[in-house]
């Protein structure tokens, strides 16, 4: 009995131990990150987790359901792009979009997929197919397969056309098998190997070997890379997407290539120095990072996703101006207190030093080559200062603080043209100088400045008789100068400051994504997409009406121009006929009629009362009274020539009429040419879409797009600057 108990306990221990070991092994495999498989030192790295789940979650959102109603193929058809574009889209959809969907639904993908790009030895002056292949060979793709998937299955699914007719060869390397697939037709060779539960793929077998070396601990992994480790510490917890880039290596590589190219074209010290100066602004920046997490559901209908972007730097290596810019400290955002609750867009920043920026500008001005008689930037600024009666360095810059921002409320469509309701603000360091600056700026003879006291705050504004919805103005509120396109915005800010329930912090959409947006920071941005989509919809309706009216006006004007052209052509034909008759008349008269000697008495022209274009010659009283001394002559069909002598002045008068007719005819032909050119230009410059296409775009593209955007309730972000990095954290609330 004792032996049975001992054997039983031994079996229990063995089974329990085996279970623990197996589960630990599975847990280890599940917990292995791609950064533990790829080697250190990439230029760029990205890893995506839970692909199928994230795609399914995204396609189930209202945003996607509304967006997918827009048919790309119908757009191509309705806009008459032609069969070639339709065929190209169908091919793209079949090969890429449908292929990706089939791959995702094939259950070959595991939890993660990653890609790393490593430095490649490429010269920009020799960008040929070989250089492209060299670049592609520096990429390694890592895919986590499902337990039931085989490596060959994935390769065949992704590279079907490539793998089917290509010979395969196995290469052993450190207890791993690297499979080579070589395609003569494609001119490429693919290598892949299964490492743990990952499939590693590259066009370069050395990249596969490096990954195997990482797993055998003969090379450091990306996870052990000091720069990556520092950057990844700022990634969001449980992020489904992470990306990393070595900014310093990338910029350095670009600079080296530009220096090489410049040396080939202009091998001078000056050209290299100019390149060094241009790249100096990037000094000190080391790495960049990005991470994204879909987050958990905020309510039954919405969920909030989060993402952050960070850039690391060595502050002592930054350019002095940039170092100064990145040295500002996070502060409380007091300006948010006077932002109205219904603001669609809001932005605030506390890191813009106007005096430092002006110093930098003057340094850049000094570097510019000066022409002998050229107007220098300093001369231009001096002229502006004289016109404004303000000195930039003594009257303006000392008045301004480092904080600035603004907000957009809506679009006013009540006037002749849309007026965006926008307000800008800036913190004031010297109230007296700021008041002097504004008083001097608005003290212009053409401006009828008005003043209104609103709840104890003085508002100064001016209005336009023909634009009642445009009343620009300004006021000083708390520590800030506010400038708006409409004084009602100033009143809204005054109301918000006096009553917190009317400020942005009381906005429900802002509250839902306020995951630290009101804490100390260096910058805040807020976008209420639902409200912005509504404003955009109003503007689209206004634009639709305006465009319809413009199309009708252009059509009417074009038809009127065509009618005027037809009338003008008829007029030209009539003028040409009259001119031909006159020329024929003069020619006949000149050939057949004798001239009368000049007399001292007044000459009475037989044609003095002849209407233009009339070809019947009147009978002269003198000729009628004269005896028939000469034998009769053959009479012309249009006039009796020999019996009626003509004064040369009469023919000259007709010729003057011909000249006038020719001038009028040429003028008419010029007008015809101008009208024809205008009609041709109008036809070619007509709106690129007709009424039917416009309706299609509005109803089938723009409206569904705005509806989809309206399902993104709000987006908010904050920026924080520290001693070694700048980071922006964003939140999005999607329905």
């Amino acid at each position: 009995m004792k032996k049975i108990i001992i054997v039983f306990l031994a079996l229990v221990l063995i089974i329990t131990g085996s279970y623990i070991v197996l589960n630990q092994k599975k847990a280890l495999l599940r917990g292995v990150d791609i950064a533990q498989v790829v080697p250190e030192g990439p230029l760029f790295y990205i890893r995506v987790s839970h692909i199928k789940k994230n795609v399914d979650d995204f396609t189930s959102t209202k945003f996607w359901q509304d967006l997918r109603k827009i048919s790309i193929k119908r757009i191509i058809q309705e806009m008459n792009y032609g069969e070639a574009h339709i065929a190209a889209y169908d091919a793209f959809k079949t090969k890429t979009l449908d292929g990706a969907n089939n791959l995702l639904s094939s259950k070959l993908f595991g939890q993660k997929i990653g890609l790393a790009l490593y430095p490649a030895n490429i010269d920009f002056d020799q960008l040929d197919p070989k250089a492209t292949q060299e670049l592609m060979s520096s990429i390694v793709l890592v895919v986590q397969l499902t337990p039931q998937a085989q490596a060959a299955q994935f390769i065949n699914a992704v590279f079907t056309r490539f793998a089917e007719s290509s010979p395969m060869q196995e290469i052993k390397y450190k207890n791993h098998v690297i499979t080579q697939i070589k395609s003569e037709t494609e001119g490429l060779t693919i290598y892949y190997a299964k490492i743990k539960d990952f499939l590693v793929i590259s066009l370069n077998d050395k990249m596969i070997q490096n990954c195997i070396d990482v797993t055998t601990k003969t090379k450091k992994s990306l996870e052990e890379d000091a720069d990556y480790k520092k950057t990844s510490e700022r990634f969001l917890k449980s992020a489904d997407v992470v990306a990393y880039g070595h900014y310093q290596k990338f910029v350095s590589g670009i600079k080296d290539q530009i220096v090489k190219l410049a040396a080939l074209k202009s091998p001078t010290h000056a050209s290299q120095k100019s390149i060094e100066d241009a790249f100096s602004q990037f000094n000190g920046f080391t790495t960049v990072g990005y991470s994204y997490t879909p987050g958990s559901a905020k309510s039954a209908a919405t969920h909030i996703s989060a993402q952050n972007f960070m850039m690391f730097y060595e502050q002592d290596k930054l350019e002095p101006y940039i170092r100064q810019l990145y040295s500002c400290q996070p502060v409380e955002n007091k300006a948010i207190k006077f932002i109205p609750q219904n603001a669609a867009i809001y932005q605030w920043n506390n890191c813009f030093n106007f005096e430092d920026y002006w110093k930098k500008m003057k340094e850049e001005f000094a570097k510019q080559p000066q022409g002998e008689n050229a107007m220098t930037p300093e001369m231009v600024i001096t002229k502006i200062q004289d016109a404004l009666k303000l000195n930039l360095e003594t009257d303006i810059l000392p008045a301004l603080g480092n904080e600035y921002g603004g907000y957009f409320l809506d679009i006013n469509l009540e006037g002749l043209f849309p007026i965006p309701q926008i307000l800008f603000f800036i913190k004031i360091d010297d109230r007296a100088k700021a008041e002097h600056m504004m008083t001097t700026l608005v003290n212009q003879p053409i401006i009828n400045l008005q003043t209104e006291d609103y709840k104890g705050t003085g508002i100064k504004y001016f209005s336009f008789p023909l634009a009642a919805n445009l009343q620009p103005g300004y006021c000083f509120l708390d520590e800030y100068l506010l400038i708006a396109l409409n004084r009602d915005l100033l009143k809204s800010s005054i109301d918000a400051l006096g009553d917190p329930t009317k400020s942005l912090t009381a906005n429900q959409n802002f509250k839902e994504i306020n995951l630290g947006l009101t804490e100390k920071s260096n910058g805040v941005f807020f976008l209420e997409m639902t409200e912005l989509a509504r404003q955009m919809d109003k503007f689209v309706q206004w634009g639709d009406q305006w465009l319809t009216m413009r199309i009708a006006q252009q059509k009417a004007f074009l038809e009127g121009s065509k009618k005027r052209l037809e009338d003008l052509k008829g007029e030209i034909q009539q003028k040409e006929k009259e001119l031909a008759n006159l020329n024929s008349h003069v020619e006949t008269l000149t050939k057949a009629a004798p001239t009368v000697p000049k007399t001292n008495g007044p000459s009475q022209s037989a044609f003095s009362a002849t209407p233009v274009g009339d070809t019947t010659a009147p009978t002269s009283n003198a000729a009628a009274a004269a005896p028939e001394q000469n034998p009769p002559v053959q009479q012309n069909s249009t006039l009796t020539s020999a019996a009626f002598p003509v004064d040369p002045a009469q023919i000259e008068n007709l010729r003057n009429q011909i000249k006038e007719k020719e001038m009028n005819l040429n003028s008419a032909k010029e007008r015809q040419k101008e009208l024809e050119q205008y009609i041709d230009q109008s036809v070619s410059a007509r709106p690129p879409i007709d009424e039917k296409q416009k309706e299609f775009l509005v109803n089938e593209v723009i409206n569904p797009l705005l509806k989809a955007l309206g399902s993104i309730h709000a987006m908010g972000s904050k920026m924080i600057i520290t001693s070694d990095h700048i980071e922006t954290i964003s939140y999005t609330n999607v329905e």
Side-chain angles (χ1 to χ4, degrees), residues 32 59 63 97 146 167 187 196 284 360 365 402 428 448-449 469 530 542 549 558 585 604 649 655 667:
V32 172
T59 54
F63 170 78
L97 301 180
T146 56
K196 298 182 178 179
K360 180 65 176 177
F365 291 159
N402 293 352
I428 297 303
N448 182 21
L449 191 67
N469 58 339
T530 303
W542 178 89
M549 181 183 67
L558 185 60
H585 192 165
Q604 189 168 4
R655 285 174 175 160
S667 177

Side-chain angles (χ1 to χ4, degrees), residues 34-294:
I34 293 176
Q36 296 172 290
V37 177
V38 297
E40 64 178 342
L43 285 178
F44 173 77
Y45 165 76
I46 183 171
R47 184 264 295 160
V48 182
S49 300
H50 307 108
I51 301 172
K52 183 71 167 61
K53 179 181 181 300
N54 282 320
V55 171
D56 290 343
D57 288 347
F58 175 73
T59 54
S60 67
T61 61
K62 188 176 184 299
F63 170 78
W64 175 251
Q65 295 301 320
D66 289 331
L67 194 64
R68 70 194 301 256
K69 293 176 183 177
I70 301 174
S71 171
I72 303 298
K73 189 170 183 176
R74 275 205 64 198
I75 293 174
I76 297 173
Q77 292 171 334
E78 294 291 337
M79 300 309 293
N80 300 323
Y81 284 118
E83 294 298 325
H85 288 84
I86 295 174
Y89 170 75
D90 287 339
F92 170 77
K93 184 176 181 296
T94 301
K95 291 181 180 179
T96 306
L97 301 180
D98 293 347
N101 289 332
N102 293 336
L103 187 60
L104 287 174
S105 60
S106 66
K107 297 182 180 180
L108 292 175
F109 271 115
Q111 296 293 319
K112 304 168 186 175
I113 182 171
L115 181 144
L117 168 66
Y118 291 83
N121 187 20
I122 300 174
D123 288 331
F124 282 5
D125 59 332
Q126 296 178 349
L127 290 178
D128 52 19
K130 185 177 180 181
T132 304
Q133 186 169 349
E134 178 71 22
L135 178 63
M136 297 298 294
S137 297
S138 65
I139 297 174
V140 59
L141 176 69
V142 183
V143 181
Q144 185 180 38
L145 301 176
T146 56
Q148 66 270 29
Q150 298 296 319
Q153 285 181 289
F154 184 88
I155 293 296
N156 286 329
V158 178
F159 306 102
T160 304
R161 185 165 61 92
F162 184 89
E164 280 180 347
S165 59
S166 303
M168 301 176 66
Q169 180 182 351
E170 292 186 348
I171 305 168
K172 289 197 173 184
Y173 181 78
K174 291 187 177 179
N175 296 324
H176 286 76
V177 176
I178 301 175
T179 303
Q180 171 189 290
I181 307 176
K182 189 173 184 179
S183 173
E184 299 295 340
T185 57
E186 301 292 337
L188 289 176
T189 302
I190 291 179
Y191 300 90
Y192 71 87
K194 190 171 183 183
I195 303 175
K196 298 182 178 179
D197 59 344
F198 292 102
L199 178 65
V200 183
I201 308 168
S202 180
L203 300 182
N204 186 347
D205 61 335
K206 184 64 177 175
M207 300 301 299
I208 307 293
Q209 293 175 11
N210 289 341
C211 292
I212 294 173
D213 290 342
V214 167
T215 61
T216 58
K217 304 300 182 182
T218 53
K219 281 187 183 297
K220 285 187 176 181
S221 68
L222 175 60
E223 189 180 58
E224 299 172 292
D225 187 309
D227 291 328
Y228 175 80
K229 191 172 183 179
K230 182 178 181 179
T231 305
S232 64
E233 288 173 354
R234 297 302 309 167
F235 289 162
L236 298 173
K237 292 182 179 179
S238 304
D240 279 2
V241 179
V242 300
Y244 161 81
H246 204 291
Y247 188 80
Q248 188 179 50
K249 287 182 182 178
F250 175 76
V251 172
S252 178
I254 295 293
K255 185 183 77 172
D256 291 344
Q257 292 292 339
I258 292 176
V259 168
K260 286 182 182 179
L261 290 174
L264 293 174
K265 295 181 179 181
S266 177
T268 64
H269 175 72
S271 63
Q272 183 165 346
K273 187 178 185 304
S274 64
I275 295 172
E276 293 288 346
D277 291 342
F279 276 88
S280 65
Q281 60 185 313
F282 305 115
N283 291 345
F285 292 100
T286 55
T287 63
V288 294
Y290 169 84
S291 65
Y292 165 82
T293 176

Side-chain angles (χ1 to χ4, degrees), residues 469-487:
N469 58 339
L470 182 62
Q471 293 184 325
Y474 74 92
C475 72
F476 290 93
L477 188 63
D478 202 7
E479 302 175 300
Y480 298 86
L481 166 64
L482 280 61
I483 303 173
L485 289 180
N486 195 306
R487 62 176 171 143

Side-chain angles (χ1 to χ4, degrees), residues 432-669:
K433 284 186 178 293
E435 288 182 344
H436 169 69
M437 174 185 70
M438 295 304 299
T439 301
T440 305
L441 285 174
V442 300
N443 186 22
Q444 304 295 333
I446 61 172
I447 297 177
N448 182 21
L449 191 67
Q450 302 178 59
T451 302
E452 177 184 2
D453 183 274
Y454 183 76
K455 296 183 178 180
T457 299
I459 297 176
K460 295 186 178 181
Y461 69 98
F462 55 95
S463 57
F464 299 95
L466 298 179
N469 58 339
L470 182 62
Q471 293 184 325
Y474 74 92
C475 72
F476 290 93
L477 188 63
D478 202 7
E479 302 175 300
Y480 298 86
L481 166 64
L482 280 61
I483 303 173
L485 289 180
N486 195 306
R487 62 176 171 143
D488 287 340
L489 294 175
L490 300 172
K491 293 180 180 180
S492 296
S493 287
I494 294 170
D495 290 340
L497 184 62
D499 184 356
T501 63
K502 296 181 179 180
S503 73
L504 183 62
T505 54
N507 181 305
Q508 183 59 36
N509 283 327
F510 181 84
K511 286 198 274 188
E512 287 187 358
I513 62 168
N514 184 14
L515 303 176
L517 298 185
T518 51
E519 297 173 357
K520 287 185 177 182
S521 65
N522 298 103
V524 171
F525 175 81
F526 171 73
L527 170 62
E528 188 170 18
M529 186 58 80
T530 303
E531 177 61 23
L532 184 62
R534 190 179 70 83
Q535 295 298 330
M536 291 169 66
D537 183 57
K538 284 171 49 181
F539 183 73
V540 167
Q541 292 179 24
W542 178 89
D544 183 30
Q545 295 173 359
W546 179 86
L547 185 58
T548 300
M549 181 183 67
R550 287 288 297 166
I551 291 174
Q553 288 176 343
Q554 290 180 354
K555 184 177 180 180
F557 198 76
L558 185 60
E559 293 302 320
S561 298
K562 289 179 178 179
K563 179 66 171 60
R564 288 196 300 275
L565 180 60
E566 291 304 316
D567 293 342
L568 187 58
K569 286 180 178 179
E571 181 184 335
I572 289 172
Q573 288 178 355
Q574 180 63 29
K575 288 182 183 294
E576 287 176 337
K577 183 178 179 181
E578 293 173 359
L579 186 60
N581 289 337
L582 274 175
N583 282 321
S584 176
H585 192 165
V586 170
E587 183 180 357
T588 302
L589 197 62
T590 302
K591 288 181 179 179
T595 59
V596 178
K598 292 184 179 179
T599 64
N600 293 330
S603 172
Q604 189 168 4
S605 171
F607 299 92
S608 59
T610 302
V612 174
D614 191 354
T615 58
T616 304
T619 304
S620 168
N621 292 333
E628 294 186 10
Q629 298 176 355
N630 297 320
V633 296
Q634 182 68 33
Q635 295 212 358
N636 187 276
S637 62
T638 59
L639 53 86
T640 54
S641 57
F644 307 101
V646 179
D647 190 334
Q650 297 167 0
I651 296 178
E652 185 66 24
N653 182 40
L654 285 173
R655 285 174 175 160
N656 288 336
Q657 290 184 49
I658 289 172
K659 287 181 181 179
E660 184 177 353
K661 281 282 185 185
E662 287 176 339
M663 289 176 62
N664 291 337
L665 180 61
N666 290 333
S667 177
K669 287 183 176 180

